[in-house]
Amino acid sequence: MSNQLPISYNSRDGLKINGYLTLPKGYDMENANDLPVVINPHGGPWARDEWGFNPEIQFLANRGYAVLQMNFRGSVGYGRKFWEASFKKWGREMQDDITDGTQWLIDQGIADKKRIAIYGGSYGGYATLMGLVKEPQLYAAGVDYVGVSNMFTFMKTIPPYWEPMLEMMYEMVGDVEKDSAMLREVSPVFHVDKIKAPLFIAQGANDPRVNVDESDQMVKAMKEKGIEVEYLVKDNEGHGFRNEENKFDFYRAMEKFLSIQLSK
């Protein structure tokens, strides 16, 4: 297995961001240089990455990629102030924390700046889309796994079991009426014309949390703009694939996609 190394860097506004860097076997912080990289923001977003065995990260490292996981603002385990710093910051300072981590890898000489992909699921999928929108020159490819693309449709399709949390979501993410200008600004689907990198999207058709329409409308917008996009939908899946055969299909497709895009 590849080692998972604890790292930290400062965001552009001075916030300390902790994270983990997994390097392919045979590399360490001394000899890692100009490697292809997968930036992997976690889902939640009010969750966190932890040190320990992660089969997905090991899979990517085994294929020769350095993988950076960062606990951007809002990640839990760093105190209330750090958590609250994420309120109404989707696609804004939260995204900057991810971008700054990517730039840190480039500045360290670890990343080949021409071979950086961004991949995540759920909120991480949203961050992938926003990364391609906000930093079109930074990422060579993106993989969005059950990610949000439109903040309005996302908030309006909140599943019934989330209803008690709706007011809290308005405060933490944004109110669809009072904060409409901001939510439009941070909805990737409205800014597809800024995307330059190829995108691979995977989605479960029965997802109760991130409705399949989130991915459908993103793919439609991409195709209308003539931007390269691959789409994998599984009819018997929800929020994240559970069926083993579907997982195999997803990882095979992602491996092929990354291999092609990061070898250019």
Side-chain angles (χ1 to χ4, degrees):
M1 298 290 104
S2 297
N3 287 331
Q4 184 184 22
L5 309 170
I7 60 94
S8 66
Y9 58 90
N10 289 326
S11 67
R12 65 191 66 182
D13 59 356
L15 202 61
K16 183 181 179 182
I17 306 296
N18 291 284
Y20 304 97
L21 178 64
T22 302
L23 297 170
K25 201 72 177 165
Y27 289 97
D28 55 33
M29 293 297 282
E30 299 300 318
N31 67 3
N33 187 256
D34 286 339
L35 295 174
V37 171
V38 176
I39 303 297
N40 182 226
H42 62 72
W46 304 291
R48 64 165 291 164
D49 281 317
E50 298 177 335
W51 188 91
F53 174 70
N54 182 318
E56 187 174 79
I57 302 302
Q58 292 296 328
F59 164 72
L60 291 168
N62 179 265
R63 297 309 191 264
Y65 304 113
V67 185
L68 178 63
Q69 303 165 275
M70 73 288 290
N71 286 320
F72 44 81
R73 69 191 69 202
S75 300
V76 298
Y78 297 97
R80 184 184 181 106
K81 187 177 179 181
F82 190 84
W83 172 64
E84 288 182 340
S86 71
F87 288 12
K88 296 188 179 181
K89 301 300 183 183
W90 283 41
R92 302 164 85 188
E93 283 87 339
M94 292 171 75
Q95 194 69 38
D96 291 342
D97 292 345
I98 297 168
T99 302
D100 294 344
T102 307
Q103 190 60 51
W104 175 82
L105 269 188
I106 295 171
D107 294 343
Q108 295 293 310
I110 295 169
D112 178 345
K113 63 181 182 180
K114 295 182 179 178
R115 294 189 294 161
I116 302 175
I118 182 168
Y119 157 59
S122 196
Y123 178 83
Y126 165 80
T128 293
L129 298 177
M130 278 306 297
L132 298 187
V133 166
K134 292 189 75 173
E135 311 294 338
Q137 306 303 324
L138 188 60
Y139 301 110
V143 180
D144 160 29
Y145 181 47
V146 300
V148 174
S149 71
N150 183 330
M151 300 299 284
F152 297 100
T153 52
F154 169 64
M155 296 294 278
K156 289 174 182 175
T157 55
I158 293 290
Y161 64 91
W162 275 22
E163 286 293 337
M165 298 166 55
L166 201 52
E167 286 301 316
M168 189 167 73
M169 288 287 285
Y170 284 162
E171 186 176 332
M172 295 169 72
V173 180
D175 188 300
V176 291
E177 294 181 3
K178 297 175 184 176
D179 302 309
S180 61
M182 179 196 73
L183 292 180
R184 185 176 180 84
E185 175 195 332
V186 299
S187 293
V189 75
F190 299 123
H191 309 288
V192 165
D193 58 315
K194 296 178 182 176
I195 296 177
K196 306 297 182 188
L199 177 64
F200 171 45
I201 296 178
Q203 175 72 46
N206 297 312
D207 192 333
R209 272 186 274 176
V210 178
N211 191 280
V212 67
D213 181 52
E214 293 298 310
S215 292
D216 285 349
Q217 59 186 304
M218 192 68 193
V219 171
K220 182 173 182 287
M222 293 278 287
K223 287 182 175 178
E224 286 175 352
K225 296 291 183 180
I227 305 166
E228 187 177 341
V229 61
E230 293 182 29
Y231 193 21
L232 176 69
V233 185
K234 291 297 183 180
D235 292 336
N236 60 341
E237 293 288 5
H239 193 61
F241 295 174
R242 298 291 181 266
N243 181 288
E244 292 293 331
E245 292 300 325
N246 292 339
K247 289 182 181 180
F248 295 157
D249 286 349
F250 169 62
Y251 286 116
R252 286 189 190 112
M254 178 167 70
E255 179 182 8
K256 182 180 178 181
F257 176 80
L258 290 175
S259 176
I260 291 170
Q261 302 304 333
L262 296 188
S263 64
K264 293 179 178 178

